[in-house]
Amino acid sequence: QVQLVESGGGLVQAGGSLTLSCAASESIFGIGTMGWYRQAPGKQRALVAFITRSFSTNYADSVKGRFTISRDDAKNTVYLQMNTLKFDDTAVYYCNSPLDAGSTSRFNWGQGTQVTVSS
């Protein structure tokens, strides 16, 4: 079972930036598509961005133009650069390998990393 460790979260003011990292215990090239999810209080976990093995990317409308997903296969790490953060971006962020456009994923969830945006 692949282990996923997210990091980089924190408290930031609205309009600020953060970069999240996700370290995988196995080759992400071998895994293929990787994604970032988030779960806000009282809401379901949702896929916000994914990147394929060929570096194609896709974003939820709510983050398009502000977030950038990237991957470093040599380091087995996936990143999420988050700019122009809004209060509504407050959530626990997770990475995983998506099986669909919803919250279904291949591996067990990691502990996530908390992002809190103050207004």
Side-chain angles (χ1 to χ4, degrees), residues 34-77:
M34 294 293 296
W36 280 97
Y37 299 74
R38 68 185 181 187
Q39 186 168 21
K43 295 187 178 180
Q44 289 190 327
R45 186 154 27 205
L47 181 63
V48 296
F50 68 82
I51 183 167
T52 69
R53 185 184 284 122
S54 60
F55 298 93
S56 294
T57 58
N58 188 276
Y59 299 91
D61 288 343
S62 59
V63 307
K64 200 171 293 183
R66 300 187 298 120
F67 289 10
T68 302
I69 188 171
S70 61
R71 60 191 292 159
D72 186 335
D73 291 348
K75 295 182 178 179
N76 293 325
T77 301

Side-chain angles (χ1 to χ4, degrees), residues 65-106:
R66 300 187 298 120
F67 289 10
T68 302
I69 188 171
S70 61
R71 60 191 292 159
D72 186 335
D73 291 348
K75 295 182 178 179
N76 293 325
T77 301
V78 184
Y79 303 96
L80 187 67
Q81 172 69 42
M82 305 186 296
N83 297 326
T84 319
L85 282 161
K86 304 177 180 179
F87 177 76
D88 288 348
D89 294 321
T90 297
V92 180
Y93 285 72
Y94 304 86
C95 70
N96 213 308
S97 181
L99 288 174
D100 59 26
S103 60
T104 307
S105 60
R106 290 176 62 183

